[in-house]
Amino acid sequence: MKKVKELFNGKAKTVYSTEDKDKLILLFRNDTSAFDGEKIEQLDRKGMVNNRFNAFIMEKLSEAGVPTHHERILSDQESLVKCLEMLPIECVVRNIASGSLVRRLGIEDGLELNPPTFEFFLKNDELHDPMINDYHIISFNWASQDEIDKMKSLTFKVNKVLQKLFLDAGMLLVDYKLEFGRFNGQLYLGDEFTPDGCRLWDVETRKKLDKDRFRQGLGGVVEAYEEVAHRLGVELS
Ligand code: 5GP
Protein backbone atom coordinates (compact mmCIF):
# COMPACT_ATOMS: atom_id res chain seq x y z
CA MET A 1 0.00 0.00 0.00
CA LYS A 2 1.38 3.42 -1.01
CA LYS A 3 0.90 6.93 0.39
CA VAL A 4 -1.21 9.06 -1.98
CA LYS A 5 -1.74 12.44 -0.31
CA GLU A 6 -0.81 14.06 3.00
CA LEU A 7 -4.08 14.66 4.85
CA PHE A 8 -2.89 15.86 8.25
CA ASN A 9 0.39 16.74 9.87
CA GLY A 10 0.06 16.26 13.63
CA LYS A 11 2.63 16.90 16.36
CA ALA A 12 4.21 13.44 16.18
CA LYS A 13 2.47 11.69 13.27
CA THR A 14 1.57 12.46 9.66
CA VAL A 15 -1.55 10.91 8.14
CA TYR A 16 -1.73 9.97 4.43
CA SER A 17 -4.55 8.74 2.22
CA THR A 18 -4.01 5.54 0.19
CA GLU A 19 -5.52 4.04 -2.99
CA ASP A 20 -8.11 2.44 -0.67
CA LYS A 21 -10.56 5.08 0.63
CA ASP A 22 -11.06 3.02 3.81
CA LYS A 23 -7.35 2.87 4.70
CA LEU A 24 -4.83 5.46 5.88
CA ILE A 25 -1.09 5.35 6.47
CA LEU A 26 0.27 6.74 9.75
CA LEU A 27 3.87 7.94 9.71
CA PHE A 28 5.37 8.03 13.20
CA ARG A 29 7.92 10.87 13.09
CA ASN A 30 10.84 11.52 15.44
CA ASP A 31 9.29 14.84 16.52
CA THR A 32 8.46 15.00 20.20
CA SER A 33 6.29 17.79 21.52
CA ALA A 34 4.90 18.91 24.86
CA PHE A 35 2.86 21.78 26.29
CA ASP A 36 0.55 21.98 23.23
CA GLY A 37 3.49 22.17 20.83
CA GLU A 38 5.51 24.82 22.74
CA LYS A 39 8.44 22.44 23.29
CA ILE A 40 9.47 20.42 20.21
CA GLU A 41 12.57 18.26 19.63
CA GLN A 42 13.69 15.59 17.20
CA LEU A 43 14.58 12.37 19.01
CA ASP A 44 16.44 9.76 16.98
CA ARG A 45 14.69 6.37 16.69
CA LYS A 46 11.51 7.57 18.44
CA GLY A 47 9.32 7.15 15.32
CA MET A 48 10.42 3.55 14.83
CA VAL A 49 10.12 2.67 18.53
CA ASN A 50 6.64 4.18 18.80
CA ASN A 51 5.42 2.58 15.56
CA ARG A 52 6.53 -0.89 16.64
CA PHE A 53 5.38 -0.39 20.23
CA ASN A 54 1.95 0.85 19.09
CA ALA A 55 1.48 -2.15 16.77
CA PHE A 56 2.37 -4.55 19.60
CA ILE A 57 -0.15 -2.95 22.00
CA MET A 58 -2.92 -2.62 19.37
CA GLU A 59 -2.52 -6.32 18.53
CA LYS A 60 -2.76 -7.28 22.23
CA LEU A 61 -5.91 -5.16 22.59
CA SER A 62 -7.45 -6.61 19.46
CA GLU A 63 -6.79 -10.16 20.76
CA ALA A 64 -8.60 -9.15 23.97
CA GLY A 65 -11.67 -8.02 21.99
CA VAL A 66 -11.08 -4.26 21.73
CA PRO A 67 -11.84 -3.15 18.14
CA THR A 68 -8.87 -1.08 16.89
CA HIS A 69 -8.05 0.74 13.65
CA HIS A 70 -4.64 -0.98 13.37
CA GLU A 71 -4.20 -3.22 10.30
CA ARG A 72 -0.46 -3.86 9.92
CA ILE A 73 3.02 -2.40 10.05
CA LEU A 74 4.31 -1.27 6.62
CA SER A 75 7.83 -0.12 7.50
CA ASP A 76 9.91 1.05 10.48
CA GLN A 77 7.90 4.25 10.87
CA GLU A 78 4.65 3.49 9.00
CA SER A 79 1.48 1.56 9.77
CA LEU A 80 -1.70 0.93 7.80
CA VAL A 81 -4.93 1.72 9.67
CA LYS A 82 -8.68 1.94 9.02
CA CYS A 83 -9.90 5.40 8.07
CA LEU A 84 -11.98 6.38 11.12
CA GLU A 85 -14.15 9.44 11.56
CA MET A 86 -12.43 10.60 14.74
CA LEU A 87 -14.41 11.98 17.69
CA PRO A 88 -12.88 15.23 19.09
CA ILE A 89 -12.59 13.63 22.52
CA GLU A 90 -9.76 12.28 24.68
CA CYS A 91 -10.57 9.54 27.20
CA VAL A 92 -8.23 9.34 30.20
CA VAL A 93 -8.11 6.62 32.85
CA ARG A 94 -5.95 7.14 35.94
CA ASN A 95 -4.80 4.34 38.25
CA ILE A 96 -2.39 6.58 40.15
CA ALA A 97 -2.67 10.36 40.64
CA SER A 98 -0.19 12.38 38.58
CA GLY A 99 -0.01 15.18 36.00
CA SER A 100 -2.98 17.48 35.52
CA LEU A 101 -5.09 15.71 38.16
CA VAL A 102 -2.54 16.59 40.83
CA ARG A 103 -2.35 20.23 39.68
CA ARG A 104 -6.12 20.60 39.28
CA LEU A 105 -7.33 19.00 42.50
CA GLY A 106 -4.31 19.32 44.80
CA ILE A 107 -4.01 15.54 45.12
CA GLU A 108 -0.73 14.00 46.29
CA ASP A 109 1.36 12.76 43.32
CA GLY A 110 1.57 8.96 43.38
CA LEU A 111 -1.65 8.36 45.32
CA GLU A 112 -3.23 5.07 44.26
CA LEU A 113 -6.77 5.57 42.93
CA ASN A 114 -9.09 2.74 43.86
CA PRO A 115 -11.27 2.53 41.86
CA PRO A 116 -9.43 4.16 38.94
CA THR A 117 -10.93 7.42 37.73
CA PHE A 118 -12.08 8.45 34.25
CA GLU A 119 -12.03 11.87 32.56
CA PHE A 120 -13.07 13.27 29.19
CA PHE A 121 -11.13 16.11 27.54
CA LEU A 122 -11.95 18.08 24.40
CA LYS A 123 -9.24 17.67 21.75
CA ASN A 124 -8.46 21.32 21.10
CA ASP A 125 -4.88 22.68 21.35
CA GLU A 126 -5.96 26.34 21.25
CA LEU A 127 -8.11 25.77 24.32
CA HIS A 128 -5.43 23.49 25.88
CA ASP A 129 -7.67 20.39 25.78
CA PRO A 130 -10.20 21.46 28.46
CA MET A 131 -11.88 18.87 30.65
CA ILE A 132 -15.50 18.16 29.59
CA ASN A 133 -18.30 15.93 30.84
CA ASP A 134 -20.94 13.65 29.33
CA TYR A 135 -23.47 16.50 29.14
CA HIS A 136 -21.10 18.69 27.10
CA ILE A 137 -20.59 15.80 24.68
CA ILE A 138 -24.34 15.38 24.19
CA SER A 139 -25.22 19.11 24.12
CA PHE A 140 -22.56 19.89 21.51
CA ASN A 141 -23.24 16.69 19.58
CA TRP A 142 -19.63 15.45 19.77
CA ALA A 143 -20.86 11.86 20.28
CA SER A 144 -24.05 9.93 21.18
CA GLN A 145 -24.92 8.49 24.60
CA ASP A 146 -24.27 5.02 23.22
CA GLU A 147 -20.80 6.13 22.05
CA ILE A 148 -20.10 7.70 25.47
CA ASP A 149 -20.99 4.41 27.15
CA LYS A 150 -18.81 2.46 24.68
CA MET A 151 -15.84 4.83 25.10
CA LYS A 152 -16.01 4.32 28.87
CA SER A 153 -16.39 0.56 28.78
CA LEU A 154 -13.66 0.10 26.13
CA THR A 155 -11.25 2.45 27.93
CA PHE A 156 -11.69 0.44 31.14
CA LYS A 157 -11.32 -2.83 29.22
CA VAL A 158 -8.00 -1.50 27.89
CA ASN A 159 -7.03 -0.77 31.51
CA LYS A 160 -7.67 -4.36 32.55
CA VAL A 161 -5.58 -5.76 29.70
CA LEU A 162 -2.69 -3.27 29.87
CA GLN A 163 -2.36 -2.94 33.65
CA LYS A 164 -1.58 -6.66 33.78
CA LEU A 165 0.64 -6.60 30.68
CA PHE A 166 2.79 -3.81 32.13
CA LEU A 167 2.79 -5.13 35.70
CA ASP A 168 3.99 -8.54 34.49
CA ALA A 169 6.93 -6.63 32.93
CA GLY A 170 7.65 -4.69 36.14
CA MET A 171 5.82 -1.45 35.33
CA LEU A 172 2.88 0.48 36.74
CA LEU A 173 0.38 1.89 34.22
CA VAL A 174 -0.23 5.22 35.96
CA ASP A 175 -2.61 6.77 33.39
CA TYR A 176 -3.22 6.97 29.65
CA LYS A 177 -5.18 8.74 26.94
CA LEU A 178 -7.24 7.05 24.23
CA GLU A 179 -9.08 8.42 21.19
CA PHE A 180 -11.94 6.73 19.35
CA GLY A 181 -13.56 7.05 15.94
CA ARG A 182 -16.39 5.68 13.82
CA PHE A 183 -16.08 3.16 10.97
CA ASN A 184 -19.16 1.59 9.34
CA GLY A 185 -21.32 2.72 12.28
CA GLN A 186 -19.07 1.08 14.89
CA LEU A 187 -16.69 2.59 17.43
CA TYR A 188 -12.98 1.71 17.08
CA LEU A 189 -9.91 2.64 19.08
CA GLY A 190 -7.85 5.01 16.93
CA ASP A 191 -4.75 7.21 17.21
CA GLU A 192 -1.96 5.38 19.09
CA PHE A 193 -0.92 3.79 22.35
CA THR A 194 2.73 4.64 23.05
CA PRO A 195 4.75 6.08 25.96
CA ASP A 196 3.93 9.50 24.43
CA GLY A 197 0.34 9.19 25.66
CA CYS A 198 0.59 7.27 28.91
CA ARG A 199 2.55 7.29 32.16
CA LEU A 200 4.60 4.23 33.06
CA TRP A 201 6.66 3.89 36.24
CA ASP A 202 9.08 1.16 37.25
CA VAL A 203 7.24 -0.83 39.92
CA GLU A 204 10.23 -0.89 42.32
CA THR A 205 11.93 2.48 41.85
CA ARG A 206 9.00 4.47 40.35
CA LYS A 207 11.44 5.70 37.68
CA LYS A 208 9.47 7.45 34.92
CA LEU A 209 9.58 5.55 31.62
CA ASP A 210 7.31 7.78 29.52
CA LYS A 211 6.97 11.25 27.98
CA ASP A 212 7.22 12.92 31.40
CA ARG A 213 11.00 12.43 30.88
CA PHE A 214 10.71 14.85 27.94
CA ARG A 215 8.17 17.20 29.59
CA GLN A 216 10.33 17.48 32.72
CA GLY A 217 13.71 17.55 30.92
CA LEU A 218 14.91 14.36 32.64
CA GLY A 219 16.75 13.09 29.54
CA GLY A 220 17.01 9.49 28.31
CA VAL A 221 13.59 9.71 26.64
CA VAL A 222 14.03 7.23 23.78
CA GLU A 223 16.23 5.02 25.99
CA ALA A 224 13.29 4.75 28.42
CA TYR A 225 10.83 3.95 25.59
CA GLU A 226 13.23 1.28 24.34
CA GLU A 227 13.49 -0.16 27.83
CA VAL A 228 9.69 -0.43 28.04
CA ALA A 229 9.61 -2.12 24.61
CA HIS A 230 12.41 -4.47 25.61
CA ARG A 231 10.67 -5.47 28.87
CA LEU A 232 7.47 -6.29 26.93
CA GLY A 233 9.33 -8.24 24.25
CA VAL A 234 8.56 -5.78 21.41
CA GLU A 235 10.95 -6.34 18.51
CA LEU A 236 12.75 -3.14 17.47
CA SER A 237 14.87 -2.51 14.37
P1 5GP B 1 -2.68 14.74 32.06
O1 5GP B 1 -4.14 15.11 32.05
O2 5GP B 1 -2.22 14.33 33.41
O3 5GP B 1 -1.81 15.77 31.40
O4 5GP B 1 -2.54 13.47 31.11
C1 5GP B 1 -3.10 12.21 31.47
C2 5GP B 1 -2.56 11.15 30.55
O5 5GP B 1 -3.03 11.34 29.23
C3 5GP B 1 -1.03 11.17 30.44
O6 5GP B 1 -0.57 9.83 30.32
C4 5GP B 1 -0.76 11.94 29.15
O7 5GP B 1 0.43 11.50 28.52
C5 5GP B 1 -1.99 11.61 28.32
N1 5GP B 1 -2.42 12.76 27.52
C6 5GP B 1 -3.36 13.67 27.82
N2 5GP B 1 -3.50 14.57 26.84
C7 5GP B 1 -2.63 14.23 25.89
C8 5GP B 1 -2.30 14.78 24.60
O8 5GP B 1 -2.88 15.77 24.14
N3 5GP B 1 -1.30 14.15 23.92
C9 5GP B 1 -0.66 13.05 24.40
N4 5GP B 1 0.32 12.49 23.66
N5 5GP B 1 -0.96 12.50 25.58
C10 5GP B 1 -1.93 13.08 26.33
Side-chain angles (χ1 to χ4, degrees):
M1 192 74 74
K2 286 206 182 74
K3 302 195 280 265
V4 171
K5 189 176 163 223
E6 182 179 314
L7 298 180
F8 178 71
N9 193 34
K11 289 188 291 261
K13 295 191 294 300
T14 308
V15 181
Y16 297 89
S17 62
T18 67
E19 304 105 54
D20 181 342
K21 68 168 180 40
D22 288 335
K23 302 276 163 43
L24 299 173
I25 291 176
L26 299 185
L27 169 70
F28 287 76
R29 306 193 315 269
N30 287 338
D31 302 68
T32 312
S33 82
F35 314 120
D36 299 315
E38 268 176 43
K39 177 176 177 179
I40 301 178
E41 275 175 36
Q42 287 276 317
L43 298 179
D44 243 20
R45 288 174 64 78
K46 201 197 76 151
M48 178 277 293
V49 175
N50 273 5
N51 184 38
R52 297 202 173 273
F53 185 88
N54 175 65
F56 178 90
I57 296 289
M58 289 283 175
E59 280 160 23
K60 291 282 179 209
L61 293 176
S62 184
E63 281 164 23
V66 177
T68 86
H69 69 161
H70 182 75
E71 297 265 321
R72 63 178 195 272
I73 279 206
L74 296 175
S75 69
D76 268 358
Q77 291 183 236
E78 292 168 324
S79 281
L80 187 69
V81 299
K82 285 189 179 62
C83 178
L84 306 187
E85 180 198 341
M86 294 304 291
L87 305 180
I89 295 168
E90 300 183 341
C91 301
V92 170
V93 159
R94 301 175 189 272
N95 296 307
I96 297 176
S98 199
S100 72
L101 180 77
V102 166
R103 292 193 296 276
R104 199 179 336 115
L105 301 181
I107 308 292
E108 172 200 342
D109 195 279
L111 182 76
E112 192 178 326
L113 304 176
N114 195 7
T117 197
F118 181 99
E119 295 166 341
F120 281 124
F121 295 90
L122 180 66
K123 201 172 159 60
N124 185 320
D125 277 348
E126 272 173 37
L127 300 177
H128 307 292
D129 295 351
M131 194 173 171
I132 53 173
N133 65 29
D134 302 34
Y135 289 89
H136 297 130
I137 295 176
I138 295 294
S139 297
F140 299 109
N141 202 23
W142 289 321
S144 67
Q145 186 60 55
D146 184 49
E147 287 170 331
I148 290 174
D149 297 342
K150 288 222 172 74
M151 283 191 281
K152 288 182 185 169
S153 65
L154 287 172
T155 305
F156 277 114
K157 186 165 186 173
V158 167
N159 200 34
K160 207 168 160 204
V161 177
L162 296 189
Q163 253 192 320
K164 179 172 181 341
L165 186 84
F166 286 114
L167 193 58
D168 287 348
M171 291 170 280
L172 294 169
L173 178 59
V174 173
D175 57 29
Y176 56 92
K177 181 262 300 175
L178 301 181
E179 295 179 30
F180 292 89
R182 302 174 182 130
F183 184 80
N184 288 343
Q186 245 216 68
L187 208 63
Y188 283 77
L189 176 61
D191 194 48
E192 65 177 71
F193 192 104
T194 68
D196 273 358
C198 68
R199 290 191 172 92
L200 293 166
W201 295 350
D202 180 86
V203 71
E204 298 295 337
T205 64
R206 298 218 158 189
K207 179 184 168 189
K208 296 178 198 295
L209 299 167
D210 54 69
K211 197 159 98 174
D212 272 352
R213 299 202 70 79
F214 178 74
R215 295 187 187 103
Q216 298 172 11
L218 300 174
V221 180
V222 178
E223 290 79 358
Y225 288 22
E226 287 183 308
E227 182 178 338
V228 174
H230 179 70
R231 288 193 196 185
L232 291 178
V234 181
E235 277 188 37
L236 302 178
S237 313

mmCIF file of all heavy atoms in Angstrom, residues 90 92 94 98-101 103-104 119 121 129 175-177 196-199 211 215, ligand 1:
data_model
loop_
_atom_site.group_PDB
_atom_site.id
_atom_site.type_symbol
_atom_site.label_atom_id
_atom_site.label_comp_id
_atom_site.label_asym_id
_atom_site.label_seq_id
_atom_site.Cartn_x
_atom_site.Cartn_y
_atom_site.Cartn_z
ATOM 1 N N GLU A 90 -10.817 13.110 24.096
ATOM 2 C CA GLU A 90 -9.758 12.276 24.677
ATOM 3 C C GLU A 90 -10.323 11.604 25.929
ATOM 4 O O GLU A 90 -10.954 12.262 26.756
ATOM 5 C CB GLU A 90 -8.554 13.149 25.053
ATOM 6 C CG GLU A 90 -7.964 13.871 23.845
ATOM 7 C CD GLU A 90 -6.721 14.676 24.180
ATOM 8 O OE1 GLU A 90 -6.496 14.986 25.371
ATOM 9 O OE2 GLU A 90 -5.969 15.001 23.246
ATOM 10 N N VAL A 92 -9.374 9.590 29.316
ATOM 11 C CA VAL A 92 -8.228 9.340 30.201
ATOM 12 C C VAL A 92 -8.662 8.481 31.385
ATOM 13 O O VAL A 92 -9.669 8.781 32.031
ATOM 14 C CB VAL A 92 -7.607 10.676 30.696
ATOM 15 C CG1 VAL A 92 -6.586 10.433 31.812
ATOM 16 C CG2 VAL A 92 -6.944 11.426 29.537
ATOM 17 N N ARG A 94 -7.070 6.961 35.008
ATOM 18 C CA ARG A 94 -5.947 7.139 35.937
ATOM 19 C C ARG A 94 -6.009 6.086 37.038
ATOM 20 O O ARG A 94 -7.021 5.988 37.734
ATOM 21 C CB ARG A 94 -6.003 8.522 36.594
ATOM 22 C CG ARG A 94 -5.961 9.664 35.593
ATOM 23 C CD ARG A 94 -6.138 10.990 36.309
ATOM 24 N NE ARG A 94 -6.312 12.080 35.367
ATOM 25 C CZ ARG A 94 -5.318 12.785 34.826
ATOM 26 N NH1 ARG A 94 -4.078 12.521 35.145
ATOM 27 N NH2 ARG A 94 -5.570 13.765 33.986
ATOM 28 N N SER A 98 -1.375 11.690 39.078
ATOM 29 C CA SER A 98 -0.188 12.384 38.581
ATOM 30 C C SER A 98 -0.644 13.452 37.580
ATOM 31 O O SER A 98 -1.837 13.571 37.298
ATOM 32 C CB SER A 98 0.766 11.379 37.914
ATOM 33 O OG SER A 98 2.069 11.930 37.816
ATOM 34 N N GLY A 99 0.282 14.240 37.078
ATOM 35 C CA GLY A 99 -0.010 15.181 35.998
ATOM 36 C C GLY A 99 -1.083 16.192 36.338
ATOM 37 O O GLY A 99 -1.107 16.762 37.426
ATOM 38 N N SER A 100 -2.011 16.390 35.372
ATOM 39 C CA SER A 100 -2.979 17.480 35.521
ATOM 40 C C SER A 100 -3.944 17.241 36.681
ATOM 41 O O SER A 100 -4.466 18.196 37.252
ATOM 42 C CB SER A 100 -3.755 17.700 34.215
ATOM 43 O OG SER A 100 -4.671 16.660 33.991
ATOM 44 N N LEU A 101 -4.177 15.993 37.031
ATOM 45 C CA LEU A 101 -5.085 15.713 38.159
ATOM 46 C C LEU A 101 -4.527 16.295 39.459
ATOM 47 O O LEU A 101 -5.246 16.895 40.263
ATOM 48 C CB LEU A 101 -5.279 14.199 38.312
ATOM 49 C CG LEU A 101 -6.198 13.776 39.454
ATOM 50 C CD1 LEU A 101 -7.653 13.992 39.069
ATOM 51 C CD2 LEU A 101 -5.981 12.318 39.840
ATOM 52 N N ARG A 103 -2.337 18.752 39.723
ATOM 53 C CA ARG A 103 -2.352 20.229 39.680
ATOM 54 C C ARG A 103 -3.766 20.768 39.888
ATOM 55 O O ARG A 103 -3.975 21.747 40.590
ATOM 56 C CB ARG A 103 -1.823 20.713 38.321
ATOM 57 C CG ARG A 103 -0.335 20.428 38.099
ATOM 58 C CD ARG A 103 0.199 21.194 36.901
ATOM 59 N NE ARG A 103 -0.419 20.780 35.647
ATOM 60 C CZ ARG A 103 -0.012 19.742 34.923
ATOM 61 N NH1 ARG A 103 1.024 19.021 35.307
ATOM 62 N NH2 ARG A 103 -0.626 19.428 33.783
ATOM 63 N N ARG A 104 -4.749 20.096 39.275
ATOM 64 C CA ARG A 104 -6.115 20.603 39.284
ATOM 65 C C ARG A 104 -6.797 20.440 40.638
ATOM 66 O O ARG A 104 -7.526 21.314 41.090
ATOM 67 C CB ARG A 104 -6.915 19.856 38.200
ATOM 68 C CG ARG A 104 -8.170 20.516 37.759
ATOM 69 C CD ARG A 104 -8.906 19.742 36.651
ATOM 70 N NE ARG A 104 -8.101 18.857 35.848
ATOM 71 C CZ ARG A 104 -8.250 17.517 35.839
ATOM 72 N NH1 ARG A 104 -9.158 16.925 36.590
ATOM 73 N NH2 ARG A 104 -7.487 16.771 35.068
ATOM 74 N N GLU A 119 -11.759 10.470 32.935
ATOM 75 C CA GLU A 119 -12.030 11.865 32.563
ATOM 76 C C GLU A 119 -12.127 11.988 31.046
ATOM 77 O O GLU A 119 -11.404 11.306 30.319
ATOM 78 C CB GLU A 119 -10.886 12.777 33.033
ATOM 79 C CG GLU A 119 -10.735 12.851 34.533
ATOM 80 C CD GLU A 119 -9.423 13.479 34.997
ATOM 81 O OE1 GLU A 119 -8.465 13.532 34.196
ATOM 82 O OE2 GLU A 119 -9.361 13.906 36.142
ATOM 83 N N PHE A 121 -11.666 14.801 27.905
ATOM 84 C CA PHE A 121 -11.126 16.110 27.537
ATOM 85 C C PHE A 121 -11.507 16.393 26.091
ATOM 86 O O PHE A 121 -11.623 15.457 25.278
ATOM 87 C CB PHE A 121 -9.590 16.135 27.659
ATOM 88 C CG PHE A 121 -9.103 15.976 29.073
ATOM 89 C CD1 PHE A 121 -8.841 14.712 29.594
ATOM 90 C CD2 PHE A 121 -8.922 17.077 29.890
ATOM 91 C CE1 PHE A 121 -8.411 14.552 30.905
ATOM 92 C CE2 PHE A 121 -8.480 16.937 31.202
ATOM 93 C CZ PHE A 121 -8.223 15.671 31.712
ATOM 94 N N ASP A 129 -6.935 21.633 25.472
ATOM 95 C CA ASP A 129 -7.669 20.391 25.783
ATOM 96 C C ASP A 129 -8.436 20.484 27.112
ATOM 97 O O ASP A 129 -8.118 19.773 28.081
ATOM 98 C CB ASP A 129 -6.699 19.189 25.849
ATOM 99 C CG ASP A 129 -6.050 18.878 24.523
ATOM 100 O OD1 ASP A 129 -6.457 19.455 23.500
ATOM 101 O OD2 ASP A 129 -5.125 18.045 24.505
ATOM 102 N N ASP A 175 -1.442 6.208 34.093
ATOM 103 C CA ASP A 175 -2.607 6.765 33.385
ATOM 104 C C ASP A 175 -2.344 6.694 31.887
ATOM 105 O O ASP A 175 -1.233 6.380 31.452
ATOM 106 C CB ASP A 175 -2.910 8.214 33.846
ATOM 107 C CG ASP A 175 -1.729 9.152 33.662
ATOM 108 O OD1 ASP A 175 -0.907 8.934 32.752
ATOM 109 O OD2 ASP A 175 -1.612 10.122 34.436
ATOM 110 N N TYR A 176 -3.380 6.976 31.104
ATOM 111 C CA TYR A 176 -3.216 6.968 29.645
ATOM 112 C C TYR A 176 -4.391 7.675 28.994
ATOM 113 O O TYR A 176 -5.447 7.852 29.608
ATOM 114 C CB TYR A 176 -3.111 5.531 29.092
ATOM 115 C CG TYR A 176 -4.272 4.652 29.465
ATOM 116 C CD1 TYR A 176 -5.389 4.538 28.650
ATOM 117 C CD2 TYR A 176 -4.257 3.951 30.662
ATOM 118 C CE1 TYR A 176 -6.465 3.739 29.005
ATOM 119 C CE2 TYR A 176 -5.332 3.159 31.028
ATOM 120 C CZ TYR A 176 -6.428 3.059 30.200
ATOM 121 O OH TYR A 176 -7.500 2.280 30.578
ATOM 122 N N LYS A 177 -4.155 8.036 27.728
ATOM 123 C CA LYS A 177 -5.183 8.738 26.945
ATOM 124 C C LYS A 177 -5.518 7.928 25.703
ATOM 125 O O LYS A 177 -4.605 7.438 25.024
ATOM 126 C CB LYS A 177 -4.613 10.104 26.550
ATOM 127 C CG LYS A 177 -5.533 10.998 25.757
ATOM 128 C CD LYS A 177 -5.315 10.992 24.278
ATOM 129 C CE LYS A 177 -3.966 11.421 23.809
ATOM 130 N NZ LYS A 177 -3.820 11.254 22.339
ATOM 131 N N ASP A 196 4.249 8.075 24.602
ATOM 132 C CA ASP A 196 3.929 9.504 24.430
ATOM 133 C C ASP A 196 2.597 9.859 25.085
ATOM 134 O O ASP A 196 2.375 11.018 25.420
ATOM 135 C CB ASP A 196 3.806 9.856 22.937
ATOM 136 C CG ASP A 196 5.146 10.230 22.311
ATOM 137 O OD1 ASP A 196 6.158 10.265 23.028
ATOM 138 O OD2 ASP A 196 5.149 10.492 21.092
ATOM 139 N N GLY A 197 1.707 8.888 25.201
ATOM 140 C CA GLY A 197 0.342 9.192 25.658
ATOM 141 C C GLY A 197 -0.068 8.433 26.895
ATOM 142 O O GLY A 197 -1.271 8.254 27.154
ATOM 143 N N CYS A 198 0.924 7.938 27.642
ATOM 144 C CA CYS A 198 0.593 7.269 28.906
ATOM 145 C C CYS A 198 1.714 7.550 29.907
ATOM 146 O O CYS A 198 2.755 8.099 29.539
ATOM 147 C CB CYS A 198 0.429 5.759 28.711
ATOM 148 S SG CYS A 198 1.931 4.872 28.295
ATOM 149 N N ARG A 199 1.466 7.234 31.162
ATOM 150 C CA ARG A 199 2.548 7.293 32.160
ATOM 151 C C ARG A 199 2.845 5.873 32.622
ATOM 152 O O ARG A 199 1.918 5.113 32.950
ATOM 153 C CB ARG A 199 2.159 8.174 33.361
ATOM 154 C CG ARG A 199 2.089 9.639 33.024
ATOM 155 C CD ARG A 199 1.976 10.548 34.259
ATOM 156 N NE ARG A 199 2.100 11.936 33.857
ATOM 157 C CZ ARG A 199 1.066 12.739 33.538
ATOM 158 N NH1 ARG A 199 -0.166 12.280 33.621
ATOM 159 N NH2 ARG A 199 1.285 13.971 33.150
ATOM 160 N N LYS A 211 6.685 9.897 28.489
ATOM 161 C CA LYS A 211 6.965 11.246 27.975
ATOM 162 C C LYS A 211 7.205 12.286 29.074
ATOM 163 O O LYS A 211 7.697 13.379 28.780
ATOM 164 C CB LYS A 211 5.852 11.706 27.037
ATOM 165 C CG LYS A 211 6.301 12.875 26.185
ATOM 166 C CD LYS A 211 5.493 13.044 24.932
ATOM 167 C CE LYS A 211 4.445 14.078 25.088
ATOM 168 N NZ LYS A 211 3.742 14.343 23.823
ATOM 169 N N ARG A 215 8.855 16.015 29.040
ATOM 170 C CA ARG A 215 8.171 17.200 29.595
ATOM 171 C C ARG A 215 9.002 17.821 30.717
ATOM 172 O O ARG A 215 9.084 19.036 30.846
ATOM 173 C CB ARG A 215 6.798 16.810 30.163
ATOM 174 C CG ARG A 215 5.796 16.316 29.147
ATOM 175 C CD ARG A 215 4.419 16.119 29.800
ATOM 176 N NE ARG A 215 3.467 15.488 28.903
ATOM 177 C CZ ARG A 215 3.107 14.206 28.975
ATOM 178 N NH1 ARG A 215 3.606 13.403 29.907
ATOM 179 N NH2 ARG A 215 2.236 13.710 28.109
HETATM 180 P P1 5GP B 1 -2.676 14.740 32.061
HETATM 181 O O1 5GP B 1 -4.139 15.107 32.048
HETATM 182 O O2 5GP B 1 -2.216 14.329 33.411
HETATM 183 O O3 5GP B 1 -1.812 15.771 31.403
HETATM 184 O O4 5GP B 1 -2.535 13.469 31.111
HETATM 185 C C1 5GP B 1 -3.103 12.213 31.466
HETATM 186 C C2 5GP B 1 -2.559 11.147 30.549
HETATM 187 O O5 5GP B 1 -3.031 11.337 29.229
HETATM 188 C C3 5GP B 1 -1.026 11.165 30.436
HETATM 189 O O6 5GP B 1 -0.574 9.831 30.317
HETATM 190 C C4 5GP B 1 -0.758 11.942 29.148
HETATM 191 O O7 5GP B 1 0.429 11.502 28.518
HETATM 192 C C5 5GP B 1 -1.991 11.615 28.323
HETATM 193 N N1 5GP B 1 -2.425 12.758 27.518
HETATM 194 C C6 5GP B 1 -3.364 13.672 27.822
HETATM 195 N N2 5GP B 1 -3.503 14.575 26.837
HETATM 196 C C7 5GP B 1 -2.629 14.231 25.889
HETATM 197 C C8 5GP B 1 -2.295 14.780 24.599
HETATM 198 O O8 5GP B 1 -2.882 15.769 24.139
HETATM 199 N N3 5GP B 1 -1.299 14.150 23.916
HETATM 200 C C9 5GP B 1 -0.660 13.046 24.401
HETATM 201 N N4 5GP B 1 0.323 12.490 23.663
HETATM 202 N N5 5GP B 1 -0.962 12.496 25.581
HETATM 203 C C10 5GP B 1 -1.929 13.077 26.326
#
